[in-house]
């Protein structure tokens, strides 16, 4: 069964990409770090003493802040506590295999050294450093793949970009000119000056035409043939599909897809947002996504000082601890044979099915209805001795005798060795 309702409109995978070997690393990676970082981290959701409702990185739009006022924030942006090595190391310790960071979000401010504008972190801030350069070097050093988020359609600073109707007349915008003479040269910079880039993560396709989306994909692939293009380039021409934000399909989707998701409610740092998801919810979400064939791109929103908020750090490290034990059931794994039970998720690799028991049975027996395959042996993934668990097969269920207490109250993984 396939459920594609969660895939964001127009953000599907191009035909044929399912067989593309360039996606192999991405399919195996399963878990990435999203970073939303920009000038919006300075107001952090508060403008002129008032909390602005909604996600932090949209403050310019929600408060209809004039370009001339918003751009003054650059003069204050001095994230002296930014440390690329620490961010990359956090992603590694969290078990994340790739990082995608905002090079340019909808506010139009460039977090990299662009020659196409002076509205960038090197030219316009006292910081004067290029954090994407530092991150690129650090990702190389620590063996993590790096991708850049780039808002191709919305740009509230550029007079011809989409979305700012309080400074500019939307009907008079030359979107094609903006795309040709601003977006494309910047994409070229991002794919020329930072070494190998694994993903260009376009977002909010909006008015972009099929020909324009296609030309962006071709530009990326011309410059770096192995670089993947997120489906949000629009018009179903990306290398992989993207769901709506925080949206997870109800069952397996026959595509390469990814859920971008928040760890609290905002993407960009917002000082009032304390709605942190628990480690339990985050681990269950990762498992749920992988059990349906997807990737989880989990966001952090660093502060204007360059610090990843401590509640995010703690949660990511808890996920890393769980993955250090159970990563075999996630990395390189795909959907398992049993779907649709509230207490169980299944992932699989050739010859192995992983039962993720999210709620431990009270009577020392895990009953898996509908499991019909032959099982050679079963053991707890967390058990280094791989002590065999007794298994009985009934016509309509598999019965596994298990310890009375859940070895891992969040998700205990039972490995079933099956016929390959
Ligand atoms: O408008 C953006 C939003 O700010 C954020 O970047 C998310 C991340 O997926 N994408 C857009 C909304 O879907």
């Amino acid at each position: 069964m396939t459920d594609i309702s969660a895939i964001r409109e127009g953000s599907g995978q191009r035909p044929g990409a399912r067989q593309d070997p360039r996606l192999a690393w991405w399919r195996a990676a399963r878990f990435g770090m999203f970073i939303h970082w920009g000038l919006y981290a300075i107001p952090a959701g508060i403008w002129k003493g008032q909390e602005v409702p909604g996600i932090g990185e949209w403050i310019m739009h929600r408060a209809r802040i004039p370009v001339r006022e918003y751009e003054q924030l650059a003069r204050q942006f001095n994230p002296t506590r930014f440390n690329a090595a620490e961010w990359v190391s956090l992603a590694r310790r969290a078990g994340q295999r790739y990082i995608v960071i905002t090079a340019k979000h909808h506010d139009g401010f460039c977090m990299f050294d662009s020659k196409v504008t002076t509205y960038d972190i090197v030219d316009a801030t006292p910081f004067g450093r290029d954090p994407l350069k530092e991150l690129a070097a650090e990702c190389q050093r620590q063996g993590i793949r790096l991708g850049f988020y780039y808002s191709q359609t919305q740009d509230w600073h550029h007079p011809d970009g989409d979305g700012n109707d309080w400074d500019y007349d939307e009907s008079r915008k030359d979107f094609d000119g903006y795309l040709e003479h601003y977006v494309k040269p910047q994409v070229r910079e991002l794919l020329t000056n930072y070494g190998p880039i694994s993903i260009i993560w376009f977002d909010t396709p909006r008015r972009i035409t099929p020909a324009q989306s296609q030309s962006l994909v071709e530009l990326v692939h011309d410059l770096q043939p192995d670089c993947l293009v997120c489906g949000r380039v629009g018009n179903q021409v990306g290398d992989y599909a993207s769901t709506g934000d925080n949206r997870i399909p109800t069952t397996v989707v026959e595509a390469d897809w990814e859920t971008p998701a928040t760890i609290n409610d905002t993407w960009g740092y917002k000082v009032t947002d304390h709605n942190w998801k628990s480690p339990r919810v985050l681990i269950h979400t990762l498992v749920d996504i992988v059990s349906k064939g997807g990737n989880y791109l989990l966001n952090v929103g660093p502060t204007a000082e360059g610090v990843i908020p401590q509640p995010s750090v703690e949660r990511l490290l808890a996920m890393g601890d769980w993955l250090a034990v159970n990563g075999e059931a996630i990395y390189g794994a795909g959907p398992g044979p049993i779907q649709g039970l509230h207490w169980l998720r299944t992932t699989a690799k050739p010859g192995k099915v992983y039962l993720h028991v999210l709620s431990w049975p009270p009577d020392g027996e895990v009953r898996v209805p509908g499991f019909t395959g032959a099982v050679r042996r079963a053991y707890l993934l967390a058990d280094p001795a791989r002590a065999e668990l007794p298994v009985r097969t009934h016509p309509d269920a598999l019965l596994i005798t298990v310890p009375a207490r859940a070895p891992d109250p969040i998700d205990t993984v039972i490995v079933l060795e099956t016929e390959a």
Side-chain angles (χ1 to χ4, degrees):
M1 215 194 341
T2 293
D3 161 33
I4 57 158
S5 64
I7 302 295
R8 194 181 165 111
E9 202 181 333
S11 300
Q13 188 175 30
R14 68 179 157 81
R18 203 76 174 106
Q19 281 74 47
D20 192 334
R22 292 174 318 146
L23 278 144
W25 73 265
W26 185 89
R27 287 185 194 116
R30 290 301 182 213
F31 187 30
M33 174 184 275
F34 213 177
I35 305 177
H36 276 68
W37 195 38
L39 293 183
Y40 38 79
I42 299 173
I46 313 281
W47 194 252
K48 298 191 173 160
Q50 299 289 316
E51 184 178 347
V52 179
I55 43 186
E57 72 284 3
W58 270 72
I59 192 166
M60 181 180 177
H61 194 282
R62 293 267 153 81
R64 301 177 83 75
I65 303 169
V67 162
R68 296 295 160 243
E69 225 177 297
Y70 187 87
E71 64 187 9
Q72 297 304 318
L73 290 171
R75 294 163 171 237
Q76 299 171 43
F77 196 59
N78 196 13
T80 50
R81 294 177 68 192
F82 166 69
N83 181 324
E86 281 175 13
W87 288 14
V88 176
S89 156
L90 175 63
R92 276 175 53 110
R93 288 158 72 203
Q96 295 169 312
R97 298 276 167 96
Y98 59 108
I99 292 175
V100 179
I101 182 165
T102 45
K104 186 193 81 160
H105 202 265
H106 310 328
D107 68 353
F109 186 71
C110 301
M111 293 293 285
F112 63 103
D113 186 15
S114 175
K115 299 298 170 223
V116 189
T117 180
T118 53
Y119 194 48
D120 71 57
I121 189 160
V122 172
D123 294 325
T125 75
F127 189 54
R129 279 158 53 190
D130 181 341
L132 302 198
K133 254 242 143 97
E134 295 177 28
L135 276 169
E138 214 34 71
C139 284
Q140 286 279 328
R141 205 165 295 137
Q142 298 194 38
I144 283 226
R145 300 218 178 218
L146 179 64
F148 293 142
Y149 172 110
Y150 187 91
S151 178
Q152 79 277 31
T153 306
Q154 294 194 75
D155 188 317
W156 307 326
H157 183 265
H158 195 291
D160 293 312
D162 225 41
N164 181 342
D165 60 2
W166 59 98
D167 285 291
Y168 310 120
D169 178 353
E170 291 271 84
S171 68
R172 296 169 66 93
K173 289 182 176 175
D174 172 15
F175 181 70
D176 199 52
Y178 153 78
L179 204 68
E180 291 302 320
H181 305 301
Y182 193 76
V183 171
K184 288 185 182 174
Q186 289 205 321
V187 170
R188 185 174 287 277
E189 290 180 324
L190 290 169
L191 289 167
T192 308
N193 300 337
Y194 297 88
I197 296 304
S198 292
I199 299 172
I200 296 287
W201 216 95
F202 293 113
D203 198 8
T204 65
R206 291 184 158 207
R207 65 153 89 178
I208 200 166
T209 65
Q212 288 168 335
S213 295
Q214 182 61 34
S215 70
L216 282 178
V217 171
E218 282 165 14
L219 175 66
V220 171
H221 288 163
D222 280 353
L223 292 166
Q224 293 205 24
D226 290 336
C227 181
L228 303 179
V229 178
C230 161
R232 292 191 186 191
V233 68
N235 299 297
Q236 325 278 3
V237 294
D239 290 313
Y240 65 84
S242 180
T243 69
D245 296 343
N246 291 302
R247 290 214 46 203
I248 303 173
T250 52
T251 184
V252 177
V253 173
E254 304 293 342
D256 295 297
W257 59 273
E258 172 185 71
T259 293
T262 51
I263 200 163
N264 45 352
D265 289 331
T266 186
W267 303 86
Y269 179 66
K270 192 169 180 187
V271 69
T272 52
D273 184 348
H274 306 294
N275 196 20
W276 305 101
K277 294 169 184 81
S278 67
R280 181 183 185 85
V281 165
L282 295 167
I283 291 168
H284 284 190
T285 304
L286 171 65
V287 170
D288 187 29
I289 288 171
V290 176
S291 79
K292 293 164 184 166
N295 279 18
Y296 189 27
L297 185 62
L298 181 59
N299 184 70
V300 294
T303 66
E305 291 74 42
V307 175
I308 296 180
Q310 192 55 25
S312 295
V313 173
E314 286 160 14
R315 281 154 181 80
L316 289 172
L317 293 179
M319 296 182 81
D321 287 347
W322 183 86
L323 279 163
V325 175
N326 298 291
E328 182 192 316
I330 297 293
Y331 304 119
I338 307 294
Q339 300 283 329
L341 298 175
H342 71 90
W343 60 274
L344 181 77
R345 293 293 178 274
T346 59
T347 58
K349 286 181 183 171
K352 281 183 183 168
V353 170
Y354 302 96
L355 304 177
H356 297 257
V357 185
L358 310 181
S359 144
W360 201 245
D363 57 357
E365 188 165 73
V366 167
R367 291 182 202 81
V368 190
F371 191 97
T372 49
V375 174
R376 298 214 300 224
R377 55 193 227 103
Y379 54 89
L380 298 172
L381 184 54
D383 176 8
R386 301 191 162 186
E388 214 165 309
L389 301 172
V391 174
R392 287 174 295 139
T393 22
H394 273 208
D396 56 351
L398 185 75
L399 312 181
I400 309 159
T401 304
V402 293
R405 285 191 45 206
D408 185 330
I410 292 184
D411 172 6
T412 298
V413 179
I414 299 171
V415 185
L416 304 178
E417 286 186 0
T418 57
E419 306 296 331

